[in-house]
Amino acid sequence: MQRKKSKLTARESAVQMLSRRDHGEFELRQKLKLKEFEPSDIDQALEYCQGNGWVDDVRFAKSQIRQHVFKGHGKRRIQQELMLKQVSEQDIEQAFEQEPQDWFELAKETAHKKFKGKKAEDAKAYAKQVRFLQYRGFDFEQISYALSTFESEQE
């Protein structure tokens, strides 16, 4: 199936996409490439959008951090997602500085939400809890803290 070539210019397409939600520079560039715009038109569109302050990777990263925190994701997972979206390490660090989080409390909230505050009955169940929190992007210190707040079934 052939894609219909867009009647909009690269600039108009970029502005239209940004009107729906924030995009990082790389993400916006990829979407414009999919619409088969010329590389020079894409560069001009991105320069125009950046010049107007509509494309800002730090702002985009802060937005992504807030979204991921709401989903119960840890710092490692968020960093990984932002790296996949080609946001620079410098922009990622700046965004984390501007969006401070208590990762220990977030790990605790995430664990309590998933495991209802129940301590693991055996090593296998404990390992499952640890793997879940690792996948969510928490480090071992944060995981230990979160799981240490659980109550035993016997208490």
Side-chain angles (χ1 to χ4, degrees):
M1 186 168 101
Q2 276 288 41
R3 273 185 180 242
K4 276 202 291 187
K5 201 123 174 152
S6 177
K7 295 198 182 350
L8 298 175
T9 65
R11 181 189 290 192
E12 291 166 338
S13 282
V15 170
Q16 192 176 65
M17 284 184 250
L18 290 167
S19 72
R20 289 190 210 112
R21 74 168 178 86
D22 212 359
H23 289 71
E25 180 184 347
F26 175 77
E27 185 180 40
L28 191 57
R29 181 179 298 280
Q30 293 306 106
K31 287 186 175 187
L32 291 171
K33 279 182 184 177
L34 284 174
K35 291 182 178 281
E36 299 177 0
F37 288 111
E38 293 298 318
S40 60
D41 293 339
I42 293 172
D43 290 341
Q44 287 174 354
L46 287 169
E47 280 177 37
Y48 175 77
C49 292
Q50 287 168 328
N52 283 299
W54 301 332
V55 173
D56 177 352
D57 277 354
V58 174
R59 187 184 64 228
F60 172 70
K62 286 168 45 179
S63 161
Q64 292 291 298
I65 290 168
R66 287 189 299 273
Q67 287 178 29
H68 282 278
V69 164
F70 182 74
K71 294 177 184 174
H73 295 166
K75 187 173 184 177
R76 287 181 173 176
R77 169 93 178 255
I78 299 168
Q79 284 173 317
Q80 189 177 28
E81 297 280 338
L82 288 169
M83 295 295 269
L84 286 173
K85 293 181 180 198
Q86 305 282 313
V87 177
S88 75
E89 284 185 46
Q90 182 183 345
D91 288 344
I92 293 171
E93 278 311 308
Q94 191 177 342
F96 275 117
E97 286 169 17
Q98 293 176 15
E99 283 293 323
Q101 302 297 325
D102 185 339
W103 300 109
F104 287 90
E105 284 303 309
L106 183 60
K108 180 178 148 184
E109 288 170 22
T110 302
H112 277 266
K113 193 173 183 181
K114 173 73 174 175
F115 303 112
K116 313 287 187 257
K118 301 250 188 317
K119 243 188 175 54
E121 294 172 18
D122 55 25
K124 187 176 176 183
Y126 181 77
K128 184 178 178 179
Q129 290 178 342
V130 169
R131 276 193 311 276
F132 171 78
L133 291 169
Q134 282 178 322
Y135 171 74
R136 284 297 184 102
F138 297 103
D139 66 30
F140 197 71
E141 250 183 278
Q142 295 158 354
I143 293 169
S144 295
Y145 170 78
L147 297 180
S148 71
T149 63
F150 283 3
E151 297 174 16
S152 294
E153 297 265 335
Q154 299 85 296
E155 290 179 35

